[in-house]
Amino acid sequence: MRFLRVCLILIFSAGIIFTSVPGLYADETSEIILKLLVKKGIITQEDVDEIKSQVVKEKSLVPQGIEERVTLLEEKSEETGFLSAKGYKIDVKGGAEIEFVNIQDDDAGVALDTTSSPDDSENPRLQVDKVTMRFTVTGEDETVGFSTELEMDEGDKAFFDDAYIFVKDLEWLQAAHSFTVGLQNRFIVPKQIFESYPLNGFAWYEDEEYMALYKGEHDDWLYWYGELARANEIDDKAPTENGQFEMIHDNRRTSNSAEIGNKFAAGGGLGLKLKLKDLGKVNILGFGRSGTLTDDDVSFMQGLTGYSSSETSTDYLRTGVNLDYKHKNCGLRGQFMYAEDGTLDRKGWYIEPYYNIHVGWRYLDSITPAVQLSWLDVDLANTTADARTWDREKYTLGAVFKINKNLQWKNEYSINEEDTGGAEVDNNEFISQLKFSF
C-alpha cells in the first residue's frame, strides 16, 4: 500500500506540474482528483499541500507571458559560436569601419606642442579606420575563458587591442562575482554613440591597460569593482584624426622598459541601478584610483610649459562619477572626472542626450540623433606654443542610422574650441562612417 501511495503521489505531482506550467488545462480537475484521493485515504492533506507548493515553484521558473517567451527565444537566437571537438565553446566576432574624414586645416602657425612636427595627412580623405577580429574561448561550463581582439588600424599596424583571461558567474554570499586579468578597457569607460570620444576619453581612458579587475553584483541593483593596474604612461595625443594640437593623454604601455612594474594603481568603484517606475532607470557609478608616477612620467610633466622643471612629486589620482539615465526611447549619459599628476590638476566632464527613433523598415531599423558636450580644464597657464596647456571645449552633434543588426552609418560634426592664450585655431571635424559587425 505504501509503495502504491508513493507511486500515485509521484504520478499526480508530475501530471499536475505538466498541466499547470503551460496553462493548457484548468486547475479545477486537478483539485477534484486531489480531494478524492484524500477522501479515500490514498494521500494526506499534507501531501496535497506539498504538491501545490512544488507546482508554484515550477511555475515561477517558466515564463508565463508571450512577451517573456519571445524575449527568451530572441536571446537564444542571438547566441553565437560553435563547439570544438573537445566541447569548448568558441565565439568569433569582428567588424570593419570605413570612414570619410574632413578636418579644418589651420594656417595660424600655432605649434602642435613642444615636441611634435606638423601633420601632413591628406585631408579630406576616405580611409579604413580599423578592422577587428575577436576570439573568445570558454570551458565546458562557460565560466572560465579567454578573449582577445586583433585590430588593424589605418596605419596598417596589426596589434592586440586587448587580451585577457576571465572567470565569471561565481555565486557566493548572495552575490555574483567575476574576475579578468590581462590587457583590457577600464571599467569607467561609458558606452559610446559617436565614433570620437569626449575629451575625458582622450585624456584618460581611450587606451587599454594591463590590470586585474574584479566585479561583484547583488540582486541586480548594487555592484562594485576592484582593480590593480599597471597604469598607462603620461604622454600626449591629438583629439582629432589629423594629429593637430595634442593634449595630455594616458598612453598605453607597449615597451618592455625597465620601468615595468614601477607604477601600479589600485582603486575601485561602487554603483547603483535604480528603477524609478514610470520615470525610467538610473545607473550611477562612483570610482577612484591612486598610485605613483614613474620617473619618465615625472620627466614628461617637467617638460610642460608652466610646470616647474624641478618638481618631483609622484602623486597620481583619478576619480569621478558616471551617470546613465534611460526612459523609453530617450536617454542621457554623463561623466565627471578629476585627475592629479604630480602637482597638476585637471577636470573634465561631459553630457550626452540622445533619442532612439524606431523606423522598422527593411533597410533602416532605427535613427538615433544625439548631442555630446564636453569640457576639459588644465590647471596651467594657457600657452600658445604648447597645446597641452590649453583648456578645451568640444560640441559634437549627429545621428546614427542603424541599417540592420550588422550595419550602422554614423555621421557626426565636432566643434572644437580651445583657450590657446593667443590666436584661435581651426580644427572642427566631420566624420561619416560605415561600421559593419558580425
Side-chain angles (χ1 to χ4, degrees):
M1 183 65 180
R2 179 176 175 79
F3 176 75
L4 177 61
R5 177 171 172 268
V6 172
C7 289
L8 286 171
I9 290 173
L10 292 175
I11 291 170
F12 279 104
S13 296
I16 293 171
I17 291 169
F18 174 76
T19 56
S20 298
V21 169
L24 299 176
Y25 303 100
D27 291 334
E28 294 181 3
T29 304
S30 301
E31 285 290 337
I32 293 172
I33 293 173
L34 288 173
K35 288 179 180 179
L36 288 173
L37 290 174
V38 172
K39 187 175 181 179
K40 291 181 177 293
I42 297 176
I43 61 174
T44 66
Q45 184 62 42
E46 288 77 8
D47 294 327
V48 173
D49 294 338
E50 185 178 349
I51 290 172
K52 289 181 177 180
S53 176
Q54 189 175 353
V55 169
V56 171
K57 289 181 180 179
E58 292 295 330
K59 279 185 175 182
S60 65
L61 297 176
V62 179
Q64 297 297 307
I66 186 65
E67 292 183 2
E68 293 178 70
R69 297 185 187 188
V70 169
T71 301
L72 196 62
L73 289 172
E74 288 177 346
E75 292 175 354
K76 194 70 176 176
S77 67
E78 291 176 358
E79 292 184 0
T80 58
F82 55 92
L83 294 178
S84 69
K86 294 186 177 181
Y88 300 116
K89 183 178 179 181
I90 302 174
D91 187 47
V92 181
K93 296 180 180 179
E97 298 178 2
I98 299 175
E99 62 188 20
F100 172 81
V101 178
N102 189 14
I103 307 170
Q104 284 183 293
D105 289 324
D106 188 85
D107 298 323
V110 180
L112 303 183
D113 60 62
T114 56
T115 59
S116 298
S117 57
D119 177 75
D120 59 357
S121 300
E122 181 183 355
N123 187 56
R125 63 185 180 273
L126 183 68
Q127 64 184 22
V128 177
D129 185 42
K130 63 181 178 181
V131 176
T132 62
M133 288 289 291
R134 174 171 292 281
F135 302 90
T136 303
V137 182
T138 54
E140 295 179 359
D141 62 356
E142 300 188 15
T143 61
V144 180
F146 171 76
S147 184
T148 184
E149 183 171 271
L150 181 65
E151 177 178 322
M152 178 172 285
D153 64 15
E154 71 275 11
D156 299 326
K157 297 178 181 178
F159 59 94
F160 287 110
D161 187 57
D162 58 35
Y164 55 87
I165 295 171
F166 61 84
V167 181
K168 63 179 183 178
D169 298 333
L170 300 179
E171 298 291 336
W172 185 57
L173 296 179
Q174 297 183 335
H177 309 270
S178 62
F179 301 87
T180 53
V181 180
L183 179 64
Q184 55 192 304
N185 286 313
R186 291 200 61 197
F187 69 87
I188 67 172
V189 180
K191 292 182 179 180
Q192 281 188 246
I193 292 179
F194 294 119
E195 170 63 15
S196 63
Y197 281 91
L199 292 171
N200 281 11
F202 288 115
W204 293 301
Y205 52 75
E206 180 185 11
D207 288 0
E208 299 77 20
E209 287 186 346
Y210 294 96
M211 73 172 73
L213 179 64
Y214 156 73
K215 181 183 179 181
E217 185 170 5
H218 171 70
D219 201 24
D220 199 34
W221 68 273
L222 176 66
Y223 63 100
W224 55 91
Y225 291 94
E227 63 175 353
L228 180 62
R230 178 192 166 207
N232 285 341
E233 61 186 353
I234 309 300
D235 206 339
D236 45 29
K237 185 176 181 179
T240 59
E241 291 280 346
N242 68 349
Q244 284 186 304
F245 313 127
E246 296 183 340
M247 58 190 289
I248 303 171
H249 163 75
D250 285 0
N251 194 50
R252 174 173 165 178
R253 294 181 182 271
T254 56
S255 65
N256 294 318
S257 68
E259 289 199 312
I260 288 182
N262 188 33
K263 177 188 176 183
F264 281 95
L270 181 64
L272 293 174
K273 298 178 182 178
L274 307 175
K275 296 180 180 179
L276 308 178
K277 295 183 179 180
D278 296 334
L279 298 179
K281 300 178 181 179
V282 177
N283 188 345
I284 303 174
L285 172 65
F287 55 86
R289 61 154 46 170
S290 63
T292 59
L293 299 180
T294 66
D295 294 340
D296 284 351
D297 293 333
V298 172
S299 296
F300 176 88
M301 300 303 297
Q302 292 172 343
L304 295 172
T305 304
Y307 192 91
S308 174
S309 60
S310 61
E311 179 57 63
T312 59
S313 172
T314 60
D315 291 348
Y316 171 92
L317 178 68
R318 304 283 187 270
T319 186
V321 61
N322 287 358
L323 172 67
D324 192 342
Y325 170 75
K326 295 180 181 178
H327 179 57
K328 296 182 180 179
N329 292 334
C330 65
L332 175 68
R333 295 192 183 103
Q335 183 186 65
F336 170 79
M337 283 194 68
Y338 171 79
E340 291 180 6
D341 296 289
T343 60
L344 175 62
D345 298 339
R346 287 177 292 156
K347 297 186 292 291
W349 56 97
Y350 87 92
I351 57 173
E352 185 179 70
Y354 63 91
Y355 187 81
N356 183 264
I357 304 170
H358 178 71
V359 179
W361 296 349
R362 181 177 180 181
Y363 295 112
L364 182 58
D365 182 72
S366 65
I367 304 172
T368 304
V371 177
Q372 184 186 93
L373 315 174
S374 61
W375 301 265
L376 180 71
D377 289 341
V378 181
D379 191 21
L380 289 172
N382 304 139
T383 305
T384 305
D386 192 344
R388 300 168 300 180
T389 66
W390 298 351
D391 297 331
R392 300 168 186 258
E393 300 174 9
K394 180 182 179 183
Y395 310 108
T396 302
L397 61 157
V400 177
F401 298 83
K402 182 179 178 181
I403 309 304
N404 55 37
K405 66 178 183 179
N406 300 109
L407 186 62
Q408 289 185 339
W409 181 27
K410 298 182 177 182
N411 293 274
E412 59 193 70
Y413 184 78
S414 295
I415 301 171
N416 295 300
E417 299 287 341
E418 296 86 7
D419 293 330
T420 69
E424 294 184 0
V425 296
D426 297 320
N427 61 336
N428 294 344
E429 180 179 48
F430 172 73
I431 297 176
S432 181
Q433 180 191 90
L434 279 176
K435 180 179 180 179
F436 176 83
S437 57
F438 65 90

